[in-house]
């Protein structure tokens, strides 16, 4: 292997993860033109194109993706080895790469980071905020925060609070105009503000409890969004009913700007968890973050649990 290859392969992985020379350059503190030249030289040495470039997008070629599939676990092992050395010297340092949905990032993680980073000045955090479900191993992330129902297979999951109640809400003006549904069958006569799933683009089917059964109800409507805060704004504007979660709209419910309906049918969802791969050793920064979040006053105590594909996707 050419001695330049290792560093250049790490640059290639970063560019592929960011999907942009501009974002990769900002993350690495390098000039964008230099990254492009380095990758072009790497492709020349290897004799195959690694990235497919257009004026609007950048993605790995088939050969590039095969190489990435090999690189990600290899670089992770190198990083874990370095972390072990630093941990052995009693120093917690390094970069934590985390992914979280918009709400847990804003309500759980970011408020905790001020105290965490103050306690560990040699740790930095690279946070990806997205409601898209992400393979954290493939994406090179140390950990993520999601609902337990959305966790990947065989993850260690640390609870960050209790179960979360689903709610169906609308503005008082909407209920005054269209009436308040009393049964699930009534939803067919109402306008739903639908959520388009970020991962595969399908419209989310509203989930309810009916007796001992969990039922999915497709709700018609002329509005579909892929952003939870925008969906709340649409409900506040009186555009229809929204299926969301109690903590997302607690302030609006307390102030009377939104009201609920169908309370007897709305299920509990297993709450937010910080999760990481069970087959990888925790780095020192990740172990420190887990301990810090466990000690938070609003979080549940106790250890993490391994979630399998069956239990992770089972609605409570």
């Amino acid at each position: 292997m050419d001695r330049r290859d290792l560093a250049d392969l790490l640059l290639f992985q970063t560019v592929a993860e960011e999907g942009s020379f501009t974002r990769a350059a900002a993350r690495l503190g390098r000039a964008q033109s230099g990254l492009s030249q380095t990758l072009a030289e790497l492709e020349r040495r290897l004799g195959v194109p690694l990235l497919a470039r257009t004026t609007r997008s950048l993605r790995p070629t088939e050969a590039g993706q095969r190489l990435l599939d090999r690189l990600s676990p290899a670089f992770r092992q190198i990083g874990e080895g370095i972390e072990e050395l630093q941990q052995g010297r009693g120093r917690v340092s390094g970069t934590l790469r985390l992914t979280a949905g918009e709400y847990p990032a804003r309500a759980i993680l970011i408020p905790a980071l001020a105290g965490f980073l103050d306690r560990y000045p040699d740790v930095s955090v690279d946070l990806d905020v997205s409601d898209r479900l992400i393979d954290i191993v493939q994406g090179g992330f140390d950990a993520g925060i999601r609902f337990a129902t959305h966790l990947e297979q065989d993850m260690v999951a640390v609870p960050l609070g209790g179960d979360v109640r689903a709610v169906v809400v609308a503005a008082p003006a909407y209920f005054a105009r269209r009436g308040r549904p009393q049964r699930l069958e009534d939803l067919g006569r109402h306008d739903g503000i639908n959520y388009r799933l970020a991962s595969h683009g399908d419209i989310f089917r509203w989930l309810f409890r009916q007796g001992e059964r969990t039922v999915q109800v497709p709700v018609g409507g002329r509005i579909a969004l892929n952003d939870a805060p925008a969906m709340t704004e649409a409900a506040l504007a009186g555009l229809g009913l929204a299926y969301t979660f109690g903590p997302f709209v607690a302030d609006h419910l307390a102030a009377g700007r939104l009201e609920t309906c169908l309370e007897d049918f709305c299920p509990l969802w297993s709450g937010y968890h910080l999760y990481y791969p069970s087959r990888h050793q925790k780095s020192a920064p990740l172990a420190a973050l887990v301990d810090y979040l466990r000690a938070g006053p609003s979080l549940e105590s106790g250890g993490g649990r391994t979630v399998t594909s069956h239990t992770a996707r089972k609605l409570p």
Side-chain angles (χ1 to χ4, degrees):
M1 177 185 288
D2 190 298
R3 65 182 182 180
R4 296 170 296 176
D5 286 345
L6 188 59
D8 292 352
L9 287 170
L10 183 58
L11 293 181
F12 164 59
Q13 183 189 43
T14 303
V15 171
E17 288 174 351
E18 295 294 339
S20 162
F21 280 110
T22 301
R23 291 193 294 272
R27 176 173 154 188
L28 295 169
R30 298 268 303 263
Q32 179 180 340
S33 59
L35 285 188
S36 181
Q37 293 170 4
T38 298
L39 264 295
E41 175 61 21
L42 177 63
E43 290 174 321
R44 186 194 66 75
R45 293 201 307 274
L46 296 178
V48 293
L50 300 175
L51 294 171
R53 306 166 177 83
T54 70
T55 56
R56 294 187 177 182
S57 66
L58 180 153
R59 60 177 176 79
T61 62
E62 183 177 351
Q65 187 59 55
R66 290 200 303 269
L67 181 58
L68 282 172
D69 291 342
R70 295 292 189 92
L71 288 177
S72 294
F75 280 134
R76 179 179 287 276
Q77 287 182 348
I78 292 171
E80 289 174 352
I82 293 173
E83 292 292 347
E84 285 181 23
L85 291 176
Q86 292 173 335
Q87 188 174 15
R89 290 163 33 209
R91 176 180 171 220
V92 178
S93 65
T95 298
L96 269 175
R97 294 200 69 227
L98 305 173
T99 178
E102 183 272 338
Y103 180 82
R106 176 169 50 85
I108 298 173
L109 187 57
I110 290 175
L113 285 181
F116 174 74
L117 294 176
D118 184 59
R119 180 177 297 181
Y120 300 102
D122 294 323
V123 174
S124 59
V125 173
D126 184 344
L127 174 60
D128 174 81
V129 180
S130 172
D131 287 331
R132 184 181 298 274
L133 299 181
I134 295 173
D135 183 332
I136 63 172
V137 175
Q138 183 66 36
F141 293 99
D142 296 287
I145 298 178
R146 305 284 172 191
F147 275 131
T149 49
H150 294 160
L151 299 191
E152 302 162 29
Q153 186 174 358
D154 297 328
M155 293 285 155
V156 176
V158 178
L160 301 182
D163 293 342
V164 180
R165 173 74 63 183
V167 292
V168 178
V169 299
Y174 176 86
F175 286 132
R177 186 173 72 252
R178 299 290 300 275
R180 190 180 302 264
Q182 303 296 323
R183 303 174 303 160
L184 297 184
E185 293 80 1
D186 296 339
L187 290 172
R189 299 191 296 272
H190 282 267
D191 290 327
I193 301 167
N194 281 301
Y195 182 76
R196 187 172 297 282
L197 296 165
S199 297
H200 44 75
D202 293 344
I203 295 295
F204 172 72
R205 289 174 175 257
W206 297 9
L207 296 176
F208 295 99
R209 282 292 197 196
Q210 193 167 47
E212 296 299 318
R213 297 184 303 127
T214 297
V215 295
Q216 296 183 356
V217 179
V219 180
R222 294 180 292 168
I223 297 176
L225 302 164
N226 66 346
D227 179 77
M231 189 168 63
T232 299
E233 291 300 319
L236 289 166
L239 297 176
L241 302 170
Y243 184 106
T244 184
F245 299 97
F248 291 20
V249 293
D251 291 344
H252 297 304
L253 292 173
R257 293 185 292 267
L258 292 175
E259 298 175 357
T260 62
C261 63
L262 300 172
E263 292 90 345
D264 292 341
F265 301 96
C266 291
L268 281 172
W269 284 55
S270 187
Y272 286 108
H273 289 62
L274 181 136
Y275 65 100
Y276 54 90
S278 59
R279 61 182 179 274
H280 292 307
Q281 179 178 341
K282 281 186 296 185
S283 66
L286 179 56
L289 179 65
V290 170
D291 290 342
Y292 187 86
L293 290 176
R294 278 178 180 159
S298 62
L299 307 180
E300 293 181 353
S301 59
R305 57 189 178 88
T306 299
V307 180
T308 66
S309 59
H310 174 71
T311 58
R313 289 167 175 80
K314 183 178 179 183
L315 188 67

